[in-house]
Amino acid sequence: MASKLQQEVEEVKVVMIENMNKSEERSEKLTDLEERSDNLRNSGKMFVKTSQKVKDEKKKQNVRSKYILYAIVGSLALIIIIVLVISLTYNKTTSVQNTSTSSPP
């Protein structure tokens, strides 16, 4: 009976050691998982910062592009107005000169 009890104690001891080893393996895996989780969290934070910087830079570029476009359109409109004013002034001057030279004294 003592040897049977000793055998059962040994079996329980083996099972306990296996359970402790499995528990230690799980603990190592959890530690590894926690490290990977921290790395992912840090990478996510860096991604957010970088994407915010890119967004702000693109917004600035968009505003600059709009101002350049407005300047070009305004310049073209000003040139057209100046050409029209000069053309109309020239036409009036030419028509006044033509009427003054064609009328008899």
Side-chain angles (χ1 to χ4, degrees):
M1 183 156 169
S3 69
K4 187 176 181 183
L5 241 99
Q6 184 66 27
Q7 185 181 5
E8 286 180 11
V9 167
E10 284 298 319
E11 288 175 7
V12 169
K13 183 179 171 184
V14 169
V15 170
M16 293 275 297
I17 290 173
E18 286 176 0
N19 286 340
M20 287 174 55
N21 288 338
K22 288 179 183 179
S23 175
E24 188 176 323
E25 287 176 11
R26 274 188 239 121
S27 176
E28 290 172 2
K29 288 179 182 180
L30 285 173
T31 301
D32 182 50
L33 186 61
E34 186 176 336
E35 288 175 6
R36 289 169 52 192
S37 171
D38 288 340
N39 290 339
L40 280 173
R41 184 181 309 111
N42 292 335
S43 294
K45 287 178 182 179
M46 287 176 59
F47 176 78
V48 168
K49 286 180 183 179
T50 303
S51 64
Q52 187 63 39
K53 285 180 183 178
V54 168
K55 179 183 172 185
D56 292 343
E57 187 62 33
K58 290 297 179 183
K59 196 172 187 179
K60 287 178 187 176
Q61 285 178 352
N62 190 20
V63 168
R64 275 188 239 133
S65 297
K66 284 182 181 180
Y67 285 142
I68 290 171
L69 181 64
Y70 293 152
I72 291 171
V73 169
S75 298
L76 287 174
L78 187 62
I79 290 170
I80 291 171
I81 290 170
I82 291 171
V83 167
L84 286 174
V85 168
I86 292 173
S87 175
L88 290 174
T89 306
Y90 178 75
N91 285 341
K92 284 183 181 179
T93 307
T94 308
S95 92
V96 168
Q97 285 177 354
N98 285 341
T99 53
S100 64
T101 57
S102 26
S103 64

